[in-house]
Short mmCIF file of all heavy atoms in Angstrom, two decimals:
data_model
loop_
_atom_site.label_atom_id
_atom_site.label_comp_id
_atom_site.label_asym_id
_atom_site.label_seq_id
_atom_site.Cartn_x
_atom_site.Cartn_y
_atom_site.Cartn_z
N CYS A 3 -6.91 15.56 66.05
CA CYS A 3 -5.79 15.65 66.99
C CYS A 3 -6.23 16.50 68.16
O CYS A 3 -6.63 17.65 68.00
CB CYS A 3 -4.58 16.27 66.29
SG CYS A 3 -3.28 16.75 67.45
N CYS A 6 -4.35 19.83 68.52
CA CYS A 6 -4.78 20.81 67.52
C CYS A 6 -6.08 21.45 67.97
O CYS A 6 -6.27 22.68 67.87
CB CYS A 6 -4.99 20.15 66.15
SG CYS A 6 -3.47 19.89 65.22
N HIS A 45 0.59 21.37 63.48
CA HIS A 45 0.57 19.94 63.79
C HIS A 45 1.86 19.28 63.30
O HIS A 45 2.07 19.11 62.10
CB HIS A 45 -0.64 19.25 63.17
CG HIS A 45 -0.70 17.79 63.52
ND1 HIS A 45 -1.19 17.33 64.73
CD2 HIS A 45 -0.25 16.70 62.86
CE1 HIS A 45 -1.07 16.02 64.78
NE2 HIS A 45 -0.50 15.61 63.66
N HIS A 97 1.18 14.95 68.78
CA HIS A 97 1.34 16.36 68.39
C HIS A 97 2.49 16.83 69.28
O HIS A 97 2.36 16.82 70.52
CB HIS A 97 0.05 17.14 68.64
CG HIS A 97 0.11 18.60 68.28
ND1 HIS A 97 -0.82 19.20 67.45
CD2 HIS A 97 0.97 19.59 68.65
CE1 HIS A 97 -0.52 20.50 67.32
NE2 HIS A 97 0.57 20.74 68.05
ZN1 ZN B 202 -2.16 18.25 66.20
#
Side-chain angles (χ1 to χ4, degrees):
C3 167
C6 280
H45 182 81
H97 180 128

